[in-house]
Amino acid sequence: MKNNKSDKEVWPEEISSKKAGLSRRNFIARSTLAAAGLALAPYVTLGANPEQKPLNFEEYLEIEPIINEQAMRMKIDPRTSLADLLREQLGLTGTKIGCNQGACGACTVHLDGMRINSCLTLAIQTDGLEVTTIEGLGTKDEFHPVQGAFMMHDGFQCGYCTSGQIMSAVMVLKENHAATTEEIQEWMSGNICRCGAYKGIVAAVEAARDGNVPKELLQRQKS
């Protein structure tokens, strides 16, 4: 690039530096000073706004969901997610929180016959609706066939994602989206298994679909 006042070539970054009034040396020096100033700044400047206060109980909203076939009435902070309500307030810890962004499927539950990510669902949205968690599958005497199939085919390793996988698998079967291996893989793709137990998961869904789960495997052990 040629300068208008002379034939000396000027590189673009030199022009940018001159327009900004900065040389490379000045830029490095100023950056170092800025970093040092940030390091010396009080930690409190990075914290929450001290004026932000929690809601008063009077501002809580009353909801009446039906959770695992049990009618409930409660007052909750309207900002509470369904996942937090289930785990922290109702003790239903079978529902896991993985990414908290709706990307991994670990928090999958059923809401009025649909599978949803409970981490992205506000608890107030369940007012008057039926919520089913992993604790609500099966009966007091028997596991759900999908639960038995997961045990039979080792559809888990660490087990953290398993409840979400099972809840999704139950709905995949109800939705008739399990005709082929490829279809199962596609409709279960919203549930991530970081251990890589996908082969066992697909085999479990196929076994439950075909009714190939031994009855004795479904019996719950009574303490």
PDB file of all heavy atoms in Angstrom, residues 57 60-67 69-76 85 89-90 123 126-129:
ATOM      1  N   PHE A  57     -42.506 -14.142  50.416  1.00  0.00           N
ATOM      2  CA  PHE A  57     -43.372 -15.313  50.258  1.00  0.00           C
ATOM      3  C   PHE A  57     -44.720 -14.925  49.660  1.00  0.00           C
ATOM      4  O   PHE A  57     -45.356 -15.716  48.962  1.00  0.00           O
ATOM      5  CB  PHE A  57     -43.573 -16.006  51.612  1.00  0.00           C
ATOM      6  CG  PHE A  57     -44.312 -17.305  51.510  1.00  0.00           C
ATOM      7  CD1 PHE A  57     -43.711 -18.430  50.954  1.00  0.00           C
ATOM      8  CD2 PHE A  57     -45.622 -17.402  51.952  1.00  0.00           C
ATOM      9  CE1 PHE A  57     -44.398 -19.623  50.850  1.00  0.00           C
ATOM     10  CE2 PHE A  57     -46.316 -18.596  51.855  1.00  0.00           C
ATOM     11  CZ  PHE A  57     -45.704 -19.718  51.307  1.00  0.00           C
ATOM     12  N   TYR A  60     -45.002 -15.449  45.971  1.00  0.00           N
ATOM     13  CA  TYR A  60     -44.975 -16.797  45.423  1.00  0.00           C
ATOM     14  C   TYR A  60     -46.326 -17.116  44.783  1.00  0.00           C
ATOM     15  O   TYR A  60     -47.347 -16.534  45.138  1.00  0.00           O
ATOM     16  CB  TYR A  60     -44.667 -17.816  46.524  1.00  0.00           C
ATOM     17  CG  TYR A  60     -43.201 -17.903  46.897  1.00  0.00           C
ATOM     18  CD1 TYR A  60     -42.374 -16.796  46.835  1.00  0.00           C
ATOM     19  CD2 TYR A  60     -42.644 -19.097  47.322  1.00  0.00           C
ATOM     20  CE1 TYR A  60     -41.036 -16.872  47.182  1.00  0.00           C
ATOM     21  CE2 TYR A  60     -41.308 -19.190  47.686  1.00  0.00           C
ATOM     22  CZ  TYR A  60     -40.509 -18.066  47.611  1.00  0.00           C
ATOM     23  OH  TYR A  60     -39.182 -18.146  47.952  1.00  0.00           O
ATOM     24  N   LEU A  61     -46.319 -18.038  43.842  1.00  0.00           N
ATOM     25  CA  LEU A  61     -47.538 -18.423  43.148  1.00  0.00           C
ATOM     26  C   LEU A  61     -47.957 -19.824  43.565  1.00  0.00           C
ATOM     27  O   LEU A  61     -47.121 -20.709  43.762  1.00  0.00           O
ATOM     28  CB  LEU A  61     -47.324 -18.370  41.631  1.00  0.00           C
ATOM     29  CG  LEU A  61     -46.967 -17.008  41.047  1.00  0.00           C
ATOM     30  CD1 LEU A  61     -46.759 -17.131  39.545  1.00  0.00           C
ATOM     31  CD2 LEU A  61     -48.048 -15.981  41.349  1.00  0.00           C
ATOM     32  N   GLU A  62     -49.234 -20.037  43.668  1.00  0.00           N
ATOM     33  CA  GLU A  62     -49.751 -21.352  44.046  1.00  0.00           C
ATOM     34  C   GLU A  62     -50.025 -22.180  42.799  1.00  0.00           C
ATOM     35  O   GLU A  62     -50.635 -21.694  41.833  1.00  0.00           O
ATOM     36  CB  GLU A  62     -51.042 -21.211  44.858  1.00  0.00           C
ATOM     37  CG  GLU A  62     -51.571 -22.542  45.369  1.00  0.00           C
ATOM     38  CD  GLU A  62     -52.755 -22.379  46.307  1.00  0.00           C
ATOM     39  OE1 GLU A  62     -52.523 -22.089  47.498  1.00  0.00           O
ATOM     40  OE2 GLU A  62     -53.899 -22.527  45.837  1.00  0.00           O
ATOM     41  N   ILE A  63     -49.578 -23.414  42.792  1.00  0.00           N
ATOM     42  CA  ILE A  63     -49.831 -24.331  41.684  1.00  0.00           C
ATOM     43  C   ILE A  63     -50.352 -25.657  42.243  1.00  0.00           C
ATOM     44  O   ILE A  63     -50.134 -25.987  43.407  1.00  0.00           O
ATOM     45  CB  ILE A  63     -48.567 -24.592  40.830  1.00  0.00           C
ATOM     46  CG1 ILE A  63     -47.464 -25.246  41.685  1.00  0.00           C
ATOM     47  CG2 ILE A  63     -48.075 -23.312  40.183  1.00  0.00           C
ATOM     48  CD1 ILE A  63     -46.266 -25.703  40.866  1.00  0.00           C
ATOM     49  N   GLU A  64     -51.047 -26.396  41.395  1.00  0.00           N
ATOM     50  CA  GLU A  64     -51.614 -27.681  41.785  1.00  0.00           C
ATOM     51  C   GLU A  64     -51.299 -28.736  40.722  1.00  0.00           C
ATOM     52  O   GLU A  64     -52.177 -29.162  39.971  1.00  0.00           O
ATOM     53  CB  GLU A  64     -53.123 -27.557  42.000  1.00  0.00           C
ATOM     54  CG  GLU A  64     -53.511 -26.617  43.132  1.00  0.00           C
ATOM     55  CD  GLU A  64     -55.012 -26.576  43.382  1.00  0.00           C
ATOM     56  OE1 GLU A  64     -55.731 -27.385  42.755  1.00  0.00           O
ATOM     57  OE2 GLU A  64     -55.459 -25.738  44.181  1.00  0.00           O
ATOM     58  N   PRO A  65     -50.057 -29.156  40.644  1.00  0.00           N
ATOM     59  CA  PRO A  65     -49.710 -30.203  39.670  1.00  0.00           C
ATOM     60  C   PRO A  65     -50.072 -31.592  40.207  1.00  0.00           C
ATOM     61  O   PRO A  65     -50.319 -31.764  41.409  1.00  0.00           O
ATOM     62  CB  PRO A  65     -48.193 -30.058  39.544  1.00  0.00           C
ATOM     63  CG  PRO A  65     -47.772 -29.587  40.909  1.00  0.00           C
ATOM     64  CD  PRO A  65     -48.889 -28.700  41.409  1.00  0.00           C
ATOM     65  N   ILE A  66     -50.103 -32.561  39.318  1.00  0.00           N
ATOM     66  CA  ILE A  66     -50.288 -33.962  39.693  1.00  0.00           C
ATOM     67  C   ILE A  66     -48.972 -34.658  39.383  1.00  0.00           C
ATOM     68  O   ILE A  66     -48.619 -34.846  38.215  1.00  0.00           O
ATOM     69  CB  ILE A  66     -51.443 -34.607  38.915  1.00  0.00           C
ATOM     70  CG1 ILE A  66     -52.732 -33.824  39.153  1.00  0.00           C
ATOM     71  CG2 ILE A  66     -51.612 -36.068  39.321  1.00  0.00           C
ATOM     72  CD1 ILE A  66     -53.855 -34.213  38.212  1.00  0.00           C
ATOM     73  N   ILE A  67     -48.225 -35.000  40.412  1.00  0.00           N
ATOM     74  CA  ILE A  67     -46.878 -35.545  40.229  1.00  0.00           C
ATOM     75  C   ILE A  67     -46.881 -37.025  40.605  1.00  0.00           C
ATOM     76  O   ILE A  67     -47.184 -37.384  41.743  1.00  0.00           O
ATOM     77  CB  ILE A  67     -45.847 -34.763  41.050  1.00  0.00           C
ATOM     78  CG1 ILE A  67     -45.839 -33.288  40.596  1.00  0.00           C
ATOM     79  CG2 ILE A  67     -44.455 -35.374  40.907  1.00  0.00           C
ATOM     80  CD1 ILE A  67     -44.905 -32.400  41.362  1.00  0.00           C
ATOM     81  N   GLU A  69     -48.994 -39.247  39.803  1.00  0.00           N
ATOM     82  CA  GLU A  69     -50.373 -39.611  40.151  1.00  0.00           C
ATOM     83  C   GLU A  69     -50.797 -39.125  41.531  1.00  0.00           C
ATOM     84  O   GLU A  69     -51.819 -39.546  42.059  1.00  0.00           O
ATOM     85  CB  GLU A  69     -50.584 -41.131  40.044  1.00  0.00           C
ATOM     86  CG  GLU A  69     -50.329 -41.678  38.651  1.00  0.00           C
ATOM     87  CD  GLU A  69     -50.635 -43.159  38.537  1.00  0.00           C
ATOM     88  OE1 GLU A  69     -50.791 -43.820  39.589  1.00  0.00           O
ATOM     89  OE2 GLU A  69     -50.727 -43.657  37.403  1.00  0.00           O
ATOM     90  N   GLN A  70     -50.041 -38.222  42.106  1.00  0.00           N
ATOM     91  CA  GLN A  70     -50.392 -37.659  43.411  1.00  0.00           C
ATOM     92  C   GLN A  70     -50.684 -36.172  43.254  1.00  0.00           C
ATOM     93  O   GLN A  70     -49.815 -35.392  42.856  1.00  0.00           O
ATOM     94  CB  GLN A  70     -49.266 -37.869  44.417  1.00  0.00           C
ATOM     95  CG  GLN A  70     -49.595 -37.330  45.810  1.00  0.00           C
ATOM     96  CD  GLN A  70     -48.488 -37.588  46.811  1.00  0.00           C
ATOM     97  OE1 GLN A  70     -47.534 -38.298  46.521  1.00  0.00           O
ATOM     98  NE2 GLN A  70     -48.608 -37.017  48.004  1.00  0.00           N
ATOM     99  N   ALA A  71     -51.915 -35.777  43.570  1.00  0.00           N
ATOM    100  CA  ALA A  71     -52.296 -34.369  43.478  1.00  0.00           C
ATOM    101  C   ALA A  71     -51.595 -33.578  44.561  1.00  0.00           C
ATOM    102  O   ALA A  71     -51.555 -33.991  45.723  1.00  0.00           O
ATOM    103  CB  ALA A  71     -53.804 -34.226  43.600  1.00  0.00           C
ATOM    104  N   MET A  72     -51.025 -32.432  44.177  1.00  0.00           N
ATOM    105  CA  MET A  72     -50.286 -31.609  45.124  1.00  0.00           C
ATOM    106  C   MET A  72     -50.724 -30.159  45.018  1.00  0.00           C
ATOM    107  O   MET A  72     -51.221 -29.717  43.982  1.00  0.00           O
ATOM    108  CB  MET A  72     -48.775 -31.706  44.866  1.00  0.00           C
ATOM    109  CG  MET A  72     -48.195 -33.085  45.057  1.00  0.00           C
ATOM    110  SD  MET A  72     -46.391 -33.071  44.886  1.00  0.00           S
ATOM    111  CE  MET A  72     -46.017 -34.779  45.268  1.00  0.00           C
ATOM    112  N   ARG A  73     -50.517 -29.442  46.106  1.00  0.00           N
ATOM    113  CA  ARG A  73     -50.744 -27.995  46.113  1.00  0.00           C
ATOM    114  C   ARG A  73     -49.566 -27.361  46.819  1.00  0.00           C
ATOM    115  O   ARG A  73     -49.192 -27.786  47.916  1.00  0.00           O
ATOM    116  CB  ARG A  73     -52.047 -27.637  46.830  1.00  0.00           C
ATOM    117  CG  ARG A  73     -52.266 -26.120  46.951  1.00  0.00           C
ATOM    118  CD  ARG A  73     -53.499 -25.804  47.762  1.00  0.00           C
ATOM    119  NE  ARG A  73     -54.707 -26.186  47.058  1.00  0.00           N
ATOM    120  CZ  ARG A  73     -55.938 -26.026  47.574  1.00  0.00           C
ATOM    121  NH1 ARG A  73     -56.088 -25.520  48.792  1.00  0.00           N
ATOM    122  NH2 ARG A  73     -56.994 -26.388  46.871  1.00  0.00           N
ATOM    123  N   MET A  74     -48.998 -26.341  46.208  1.00  0.00           N
ATOM    124  CA  MET A  74     -47.809 -25.713  46.797  1.00  0.00           C
ATOM    125  C   MET A  74     -47.673 -24.277  46.300  1.00  0.00           C
ATOM    126  O   MET A  74     -48.223 -23.907  45.254  1.00  0.00           O
ATOM    127  CB  MET A  74     -46.553 -26.508  46.414  1.00  0.00           C
ATOM    128  CG  MET A  74     -46.302 -26.557  44.933  1.00  0.00           C
ATOM    129  SD  MET A  74     -45.063 -27.801  44.459  1.00  0.00           S
ATOM    130  CE  MET A  74     -46.051 -29.303  44.581  1.00  0.00           C
ATOM    131  N   LYS A  75     -46.942 -23.474  47.064  1.00  0.00           N
ATOM    132  CA  LYS A  75     -46.610 -22.121  46.642  1.00  0.00           C
ATOM    133  C   LYS A  75     -45.121 -22.095  46.324  1.00  0.00           C
ATOM    134  O   LYS A  75     -44.300 -22.554  47.130  1.00  0.00           O
ATOM    135  CB  LYS A  75     -46.943 -21.105  47.734  1.00  0.00           C
ATOM    136  CG  LYS A  75     -48.424 -20.938  47.996  1.00  0.00           C
ATOM    137  CD  LYS A  75     -48.713 -19.737  48.883  1.00  0.00           C
ATOM    138  CE  LYS A  75     -48.546 -18.434  48.122  1.00  0.00           C
ATOM    139  NZ  LYS A  75     -48.983 -17.258  48.901  1.00  0.00           N
ATOM    140  N   ILE A  76     -44.783 -21.582  45.164  1.00  0.00           N
ATOM    141  CA  ILE A  76     -43.395 -21.607  44.724  1.00  0.00           C
ATOM    142  C   ILE A  76     -42.958 -20.259  44.183  1.00  0.00           C
ATOM    143  O   ILE A  76     -43.772 -19.438  43.759  1.00  0.00           O
ATOM    144  CB  ILE A  76     -43.176 -22.679  43.622  1.00  0.00           C
ATOM    145  CG1 ILE A  76     -44.016 -22.338  42.384  1.00  0.00           C
ATOM    146  CG2 ILE A  76     -43.499 -24.071  44.125  1.00  0.00           C
ATOM    147  CD1 ILE A  76     -43.677 -23.177  41.186  1.00  0.00           C
ATOM    148  N   LEU A  85     -37.662 -27.924  41.283  1.00  0.00           N
ATOM    149  CA  LEU A  85     -38.798 -28.260  42.142  1.00  0.00           C
ATOM    150  C   LEU A  85     -38.775 -29.743  42.489  1.00  0.00           C
ATOM    151  O   LEU A  85     -38.927 -30.122  43.657  1.00  0.00           O
ATOM    152  CB  LEU A  85     -40.111 -27.912  41.432  1.00  0.00           C
ATOM    153  CG  LEU A  85     -41.389 -28.359  42.163  1.00  0.00           C
ATOM    154  CD1 LEU A  85     -41.563 -27.593  43.460  1.00  0.00           C
ATOM    155  CD2 LEU A  85     -42.606 -28.193  41.268  1.00  0.00           C
ATOM    156  N   GLN A  89     -37.040 -29.557  46.182  1.00  0.00           N
ATOM    157  CA  GLN A  89     -38.172 -29.332  47.077  1.00  0.00           C
ATOM    158  C   GLN A  89     -39.006 -30.588  47.320  1.00  0.00           C
ATOM    159  O   GLN A  89     -39.615 -30.728  48.387  1.00  0.00           O
ATOM    160  CB  GLN A  89     -39.058 -28.204  46.528  1.00  0.00           C
ATOM    161  CG  GLN A  89     -38.310 -26.880  46.417  1.00  0.00           C
ATOM    162  CD  GLN A  89     -39.185 -25.742  45.951  1.00  0.00           C
ATOM    163  OE1 GLN A  89     -40.365 -25.675  46.284  1.00  0.00           O
ATOM    164  NE2 GLN A  89     -38.615 -24.833  45.172  1.00  0.00           N
ATOM    165  N   LEU A  90     -39.041 -31.501  46.355  1.00  0.00           N
ATOM    166  CA  LEU A  90     -39.846 -32.706  46.514  1.00  0.00           C
ATOM    167  C   LEU A  90     -39.001 -33.955  46.736  1.00  0.00           C
ATOM    168  O   LEU A  90     -39.550 -35.026  46.993  1.00  0.00           O
ATOM    169  CB  LEU A  90     -40.748 -32.896  45.287  1.00  0.00           C
ATOM    170  CG  LEU A  90     -41.741 -31.758  45.020  1.00  0.00           C
ATOM    171  CD1 LEU A  90     -42.578 -32.059  43.779  1.00  0.00           C
ATOM    172  CD2 LEU A  90     -42.659 -31.541  46.226  1.00  0.00           C
ATOM    173  N   ALA A 123     -41.687 -24.434  36.737  1.00  0.00           N
ATOM    174  CA  ALA A 123     -42.597 -25.262  37.531  1.00  0.00           C
ATOM    175  C   ALA A 123     -44.036 -24.762  37.446  1.00  0.00           C
ATOM    176  O   ALA A 123     -44.976 -25.560  37.480  1.00  0.00           O
ATOM    177  CB  ALA A 123     -42.131 -25.290  38.986  1.00  0.00           C
ATOM    178  N   THR A 126     -46.645 -26.311  35.070  1.00  0.00           N
ATOM    179  CA  THR A 126     -47.236 -27.630  35.320  1.00  0.00           C
ATOM    180  C   THR A 126     -48.536 -27.536  36.101  1.00  0.00           C
ATOM    181  O   THR A 126     -49.112 -28.569  36.458  1.00  0.00           O
ATOM    182  CB  THR A 126     -46.247 -28.520  36.099  1.00  0.00           C
ATOM    183  OG1 THR A 126     -46.055 -27.999  37.424  1.00  0.00           O
ATOM    184  CG2 THR A 126     -44.908 -28.577  35.389  1.00  0.00           C
ATOM    185  N   ASP A 127     -49.000 -26.344  36.375  1.00  0.00           N
ATOM    186  CA  ASP A 127     -50.233 -26.176  37.156  1.00  0.00           C
ATOM    187  C   ASP A 127     -51.390 -26.911  36.491  1.00  0.00           C
ATOM    188  O   ASP A 127     -51.736 -26.653  35.335  1.00  0.00           O
ATOM    189  CB  ASP A 127     -50.561 -24.685  37.287  1.00  0.00           C
ATOM    190  CG  ASP A 127     -51.761 -24.426  38.185  1.00  0.00           C
ATOM    191  OD1 ASP A 127     -52.008 -25.236  39.093  1.00  0.00           O
ATOM    192  OD2 ASP A 127     -52.463 -23.415  37.969  1.00  0.00           O
ATOM    193  N   GLY A 128     -51.981 -27.855  37.214  1.00  0.00           N
ATOM    194  CA  GLY A 128     -53.111 -28.614  36.696  1.00  0.00           C
ATOM    195  C   GLY A 128     -52.749 -29.730  35.734  1.00  0.00           C
ATOM    196  O   GLY A 128     -53.634 -30.409  35.214  1.00  0.00           O
ATOM    197  N   LEU A 129     -51.452 -29.946  35.509  1.00  0.00           N
ATOM    198  CA  LEU A 129     -51.017 -30.969  34.553  1.00  0.00           C
ATOM    199  C   LEU A 129     -50.382 -32.156  35.284  1.00  0.00           C
ATOM    200  O   LEU A 129     -50.032 -32.064  36.450  1.00  0.00           O
ATOM    201  CB  LEU A 129     -50.020 -30.366  33.561  1.00  0.00           C
ATOM    202  CG  LEU A 129     -50.501 -29.144  32.777  1.00  0.00           C
ATOM    203  CD1 LEU A 129     -49.415 -28.678  31.823  1.00  0.00           C
ATOM    204  CD2 LEU A 129     -51.792 -29.452  32.012  1.00  0.00           C
TER     205      LEU A 129
END
